[in-house]
Amino acid sequence: MTLTPTAPRTGTRPSRERDPSVAATLLLPLVDRVPVMAAPCRMHSSIDRITASLAEWTRGVGLDTPASAGFDRMAGRAFAGFGADSTLLFAKWLTWLFHFDDEWDEKPAGRAAGIVEATFARLERQMAETEIPGDAPGTPPGRVEGRPPETTARDAPVRPEPARPAIPAPAPPESVMTASPGSVMTVLRGNSPPPRTTGPARMESPSPAQVKITPSLRAGDVAPLRVRASAPASAGTAPVEVAFLDLWEATAPRMSPRWRERFAGGVAAQGAACRTEAENRCAGRVPSAAEYPALRRGTAGPYLFDLVEPCLGVEVPAELRESPTWRTLVDACNDVTAWCNDVASHHKERANGDVHNYVMVAARAFGLSDADAVAWVNDRIAERAEDLRTAAMRLPGLFDRFGLSPAQARDASKVACAFLGAPRAQLEWLLESSRYDVT
């Protein structure tokens, strides 16, 4: 039996308390067009504690982060059904990534390829020199895993997989919610997974910027992370580098050598993309519409999507992760969220004189007005979101093809559900965050 998910005719538009002129509102038409953006997110029940802990950490490592940036709230939506410590770790990585991104987009270093290379070399050295107490139990020895060459947004189709059996229905609720192959389909249908049976979670009082609805993710039985106190900033070391080392030391020991090398590969890919952008800025060159998607996928930080695994306390089996279907799932999530970010930030980036934005690239390439370029990018987002949904639809059959155990299938489903929930979580964050305000 093949199950075809149906999208709501009209999605639920996020509430917002900000000025409706913010560029993020240009994304709202997608709510009615894109199933993975239609269902609202709930907020993590421990968001107050997550917010306070994140603020303490950013002060400790020297990252100047205004509360209105709201990185804690984006993580709180994306990981609403999971543990507070897992959500906090992801919020820290998000905060670091956006600060790191600003080094290249808003500062003179973004025009100096040599500075870009030197900075990424220091990060790679930090990773290489970090002492890892031991590998995760039962993981194979590490090896360098070359990722296939990046492709543009539309030339990475999902390779046909063998016919799949009937999609399993969601497992009955257990003492703690667990993601299953069926839960992926539940999210695709726009329904919430089964509720907790251990009693209702404490929910914070609603605020004007928060939409209270059913969760788009399912909680896993994940052991709490030991999130250690941040190390004090070293004299002469940039805060972003202090923060990176702190996060790497908190994250790497719980993962296999295979995962760590994959993460390092993502950092190297981002370094290469940032160098290309620096060279473009110096030469006054605007990337073409054909080359931009792969470039943007690199600057977004491919490792961000690998971080879902340690935050959830799981690791996707290598054979599944290397399949064309899983690659499409990850790359499509990267593209959708990056391009939504471009729409929301294009006014600010134009004011800053940066041309590395899909809206501005499209306007130049096709001679479009700003409004028409936004509409063109929104069309690409809708198409790529369908790739994301199609890849997720194939997962249950792929789990059977690779002979995943029930536990492995549940772990992979947790990660897939996080990817499916990311576009809506980001949309709600973009509407309430001050990050892209033009001052």
Side-chain angles (χ1 to χ4, degrees):
M1 179 180 75
T2 300
L3 176 63
T4 303
T6 57
R9 292 176 63 94
T10 303
T12 305
R13 297 199 172 200
S15 62
R16 59 184 185 273
E17 59 181 6
R18 294 172 48 73
D19 185 338
S21 66
V22 294
T25 60
L26 298 172
L27 294 164
L28 287 175
L30 291 171
V31 171
D32 297 331
R33 299 176 57 188
V34 177
V36 297
M37 297 177 74
C41 299
R42 68 179 174 98
M43 183 62 71
H44 200 288
S45 60
S46 297
I47 187 62
D48 293 340
R49 179 164 73 86
I50 293 166
T51 299
S53 297
L54 180 64
E56 181 180 2
W57 177 79
T58 56
R59 287 193 298 270
V61 296
L63 296 179
D64 183 15
T65 309
S68 57
F71 303 127
D72 53 322
R73 296 181 68 80
M74 176 156 46
R77 290 184 172 98
F79 286 77
F82 296 95
D85 289 335
S86 298
T87 307
L88 174 60
L89 181 62
F90 194 73
K92 288 180 178 181
W93 275 109
L94 279 177
T95 302
W96 175 83
L97 177 60
F98 279 103
H99 276 277
F100 193 57
D101 183 66
D102 289 345
E103 295 292 311
W104 319 121
D105 287 352
E106 299 183 1
K107 297 181 182 179
R111 301 178 62 86
I115 295 178
V116 173
E117 282 189 343
T119 301
F120 277 91
R122 288 194 296 273
L123 297 187
E124 291 170 9
R125 188 164 57 250
Q126 284 182 337
M127 289 187 287
E129 294 176 353
T130 298
E131 240 182 80
I132 306 297
D135 294 334
T139 55
R143 61 180 177 85
V144 177
E145 298 178 320
R147 184 180 176 89
E150 292 286 1
T151 55
T152 57
R154 297 299 299 166
D155 64 3
V158 180
R159 188 169 65 191
E161 309 284 358
R164 56 191 172 92
I167 295 168
E174 300 173 355
S175 59
V176 178
M177 288 195 303
T178 55
S180 66
S183 71
V184 175
M185 306 310 298
T186 300
V187 172
L188 285 168
R189 288 194 297 269
N191 300 320
S192 60
R196 289 183 184 271
T197 58
T198 54
R202 180 186 66 81
M203 298 301 294
E204 62 173 346
S205 299
S207 67
Q210 182 177 328
V211 184
K212 284 287 178 275
I213 39 78
T214 54
S216 60
L217 301 178
R218 303 189 65 172
D221 190 6
V222 181
L225 291 172
R226 292 185 59 199
V227 183
R228 61 183 179 82
S230 58
S234 303
T237 304
V240 289
E241 294 178 37
V242 173
F244 178 82
L245 179 58
D246 185 75
L247 289 170
W248 179 246
E249 290 178 344
T251 305
R254 56 188 291 113
M255 304 304 289
S256 71
R258 186 189 297 271
W259 182 93
R260 295 196 296 269
E261 294 199 21
R262 177 169 25 123
F263 182 96
V267 173
Q270 186 186 35
C274 288
R275 179 189 170 91
T276 298
E277 285 197 348
E279 292 170 343
N280 286 345
R281 293 183 184 106
C282 288
R285 180 178 180 275
V286 180
S288 70
E291 67 185 322
Y292 182 79
L295 178 64
R296 184 68 174 93
R297 200 175 303 142
T299 60
Y303 51 81
L304 177 64
F305 302 89
D306 294 325
L307 286 165
V308 172
E309 293 168 62
C311 288
L312 299 184
V314 306
E315 193 158 336
V316 176
E319 62 272 20
L320 174 63
R321 182 183 52 76
E322 293 168 356
S323 70
T325 295
W326 191 268
R327 282 182 50 218
T328 298
L329 182 79
V330 176
D331 287 347
C333 184
N334 187 335
D335 291 341
V336 168
T337 52
W339 301 348
C340 284
N341 191 279
D342 280 4
V343 171
S345 66
H346 78 281
H347 290 159
K348 182 177 181 179
E349 290 176 344
R350 180 183 290 117
N352 289 341
D354 194 1
V355 298
H356 295 100
N357 182 290
Y358 212 5
V359 175
M360 288 182 277
V361 166
R364 180 183 178 94
F366 307 118
L368 302 175
S369 66
D370 184 80
D372 287 342
V374 168
W376 186 90
V377 173
N378 278 352
D379 286 344
R380 305 290 79 72
I381 292 170
E383 292 170 357
R384 198 61 170 139
E386 186 59 28
D387 291 342
L388 173 66
R389 198 167 74 112
T390 299
M393 285 281 291
R394 295 183 184 274
L395 289 180
L398 209 55
F399 296 163
D400 288 340
R401 175 186 172 185
F402 290 127
L404 268 60
S405 68
Q408 289 176 317
R410 283 195 298 271
D411 286 350
S413 290
K414 293 174 189 176
V415 178
C417 286
F419 292 153
L420 290 168
R424 176 66 186 218
Q426 185 202 30
L427 172 61
E428 295 184 14
W429 169 74
L430 287 169
L431 288 166
E432 71 180 21
S433 174
S434 66
R435 176 169 171 79
Y436 298 118
D437 289 353
V438 179
T439 56

